[in-house]
Amino acid sequence: MSRYEQLALQLQEQISSGVWQAGDKLPSLRETVRRSGLSLMTVFNAYQLLESQGWVRSRPQSGYFVVPVLQAAHYSLPLQPLQPAETVDINAFIFNVLQAGNNSDCVALGSAFPDPSLFPQHQLSRSLIRVARQLSSANTDVSLPPGCADLRRSIAQRYAAKGMEISPDEIVITSGALEALNLSLQALTQPGDWVVVESPAFYGALQAIERHHLKTVAVATDPQRGMDLDALAQALQQYPIKACWLMSHCQNPLGASMSTAHKQQLLALLTEHGVSLIEDDVYGELYAGLVTPLPVKAWDNTGQVLHCGSFSKTLATGFRIGWVAAGQQAQAIQRLQLMSTLSTSTPMQLALADYLSAHHYDKHLHTLRRTLEQRKHIFYRAIKREFPDVVRVHYAEGSYFLWLELPTDCCATELYWRALKAGITIAPGRMFAAGEQYRHCFRLNVSLPWNTVSEAAIKQLATLIDGQLALV
Ligand SMILES: Cc1ncc(COP(=O)(O)O)c(C=O)c1O
């Protein structure tokens, strides 16, 4: 990184952390030259870079001023509180979209995974090599559920560091969170049962509901605050709900995070109706700010919350290691796993246990969170600059998604196909609901580095949206 980029990054961090607020004037070029010891040209280039990324605006003869903070957008139409569906038919659509976009040459703005270059490949390789050297017939043997004891202990220690008492015996290691979530759903339901999901929801939930022949009530979910609890109460009154599947932090696709009070109210409501919660917390470590938020599981005294986590989004996508802290259902989940996939890859579990024992993870997470937040700001500002004003951008802190809304007569699936032809993927809103209510929305992955490729992709998307708007 050159000196002017370093200075720009430093100033970005100061703006993000509130040292400089919207409307503040940054120190003059001369003052910064004096304080930093850098040349006038270096400082000028840094300020220009900040301006091109939308952090500051220059006013002739006055200096550089911080641009107003990100504003929460509102949905163009009020959400329907409840969206019931007796059947879900989404697998074919999801498969087609994911397969068509599965091309490493594409700019992967539709991907659910963060930029893999943000992962500590070198340290993970070292753990893999160390484990490979120590492999013996004893530890390459299949490790039956609940999985490798060292890894379960490390995960329990991470809960303990947040003040949560989760016994390693309650934890079942799975093949990614997806297996944890699917097994949890299977443990709690029979075909034909009703399940609450968010609206919009992670498509994996809808796929699981389709696969297990379940019925679903999607409950309105606010892009900032999360699930509408009045609507949830109504769903619990009207339908014989067996389970609720949701994300209390960094919801996919919205990015929404619930407040502590909201989480406690949610748990009280579910407890009152005897309904278990499947808490999908795969982005829980990717919060913004300095305070670690607790999942709903933290207040669960009865074992009715099945808390599903993963290393796929924070450390090692391809290892496919996740877990569920399954409370009352720990035994049932082990039995279901034994009948389906038997166990999770032993060498991968051992390598992760080795990596976690070296205590690099928290440092890595700290850097990852900061980088993701910075990249999200940069993309957000570029999108606000390039996209037509009628496009609403829902910005929520944490993780690495932006949820965008076109005018309601535009179809984001059409935009998906056009963008794909131009070598760019997006995640169309149709993926996140059983019905058509989000056909005009799409999710962007903004974890990618901001460079000429991503900048060109955002400009190209803006042109495609302009083209689509001209047709409606
Ligand atoms: C919200 C959500 N839950 C679960 C998963 C699955 O996680 P894993 O890759 O650990 O199976 C994903 C992956 O995209 C996700 O976005």
Side-chain angles (χ1 to χ4, degrees), residues 209-357:
I209 283 166
E210 178 176 345
R211 195 156 69 87
H212 295 297
H213 305 287
L214 297 162
K215 298 171 185 168
T216 177
V217 191
V219 174
T221 299
D222 179 84
Q224 292 289 323
R225 293 183 305 275
M227 187 177 276
D228 174 345
L229 296 188
D230 291 337
L232 174 63
Q234 199 184 325
L236 292 166
Q237 295 279 355
Q238 285 181 11
Y239 298 88
I241 303 294
K242 285 291 162 46
C244 171
W245 172 330
L246 60 69
M247 306 182 69
S248 62
H249 298 136
C250 305
Q251 199 262 6
N252 177 8
L254 298 173
S257 291
M258 292 181 176
S259 66
T260 299
H262 203 116
K263 286 174 202 164
Q264 290 169 338
Q265 285 161 17
L266 167 80
L267 185 60
L269 198 52
L270 293 177
T271 309
E272 187 189 324
H273 289 266
V275 172
S276 292
L277 174 66
I278 303 172
E279 187 173 19
D280 178 353
D281 203 16
V282 299
Y283 302 96
E285 297 278 15
L286 301 180
Y287 57 88
L290 300 175
V291 182
T292 312
L294 292 174
V296 178
K297 177 77 177 168
W299 294 277
D300 173 30
N301 300 320
T302 58
Q304 72 179 107
V305 179
L306 292 81
H307 181 251
C308 300
S310 171
F311 295 102
S312 301
K313 308 294 193 273
T314 53
L315 186 63
T317 303
F319 278 39
R320 304 295 308 133
I321 300 289
W323 72 90
V324 49
Q328 294 168 353
Q329 300 295 334
Q331 288 293 323
I333 287 197
Q334 289 183 49
R335 280 197 296 276
L336 287 169
Q337 191 181 40
L338 199 68
M339 283 190 280
S340 50
T341 53
L342 188 60
S343 72
T344 312
S345 158
T346 308
M348 290 305 169
Q349 291 187 64
L350 293 172
L352 269 187
D354 180 87
Y355 172 85
L356 293 174
S357 70

Side-chain angles (χ1 to χ4, degrees), residues 389-444:
D389 285 343
V390 287
V391 180
R392 289 168 192 244
V393 188
H394 295 275
Y395 183 103
E397 290 199 326
S399 83
Y400 46 89
F401 296 130
L402 291 176
W403 180 243
L404 291 94
E405 210 187 338
L406 300 169
T408 44
D409 42 6
C410 284
C411 174
T413 306
E414 234 174 270
L415 179 65
Y416 168 84
W417 291 113
R418 285 169 200 238
L420 192 61
K421 272 199 199 143
I424 304 162
T425 64
I426 61 169
R430 173 78 185 81
M431 295 171 83
F432 302 99
E436 292 281 335
Q437 57 272 38
Y438 300 107
R439 69 187 279 282
H440 62 299
C441 298
F442 60 103
R443 186 197 69 190
L444 289 184

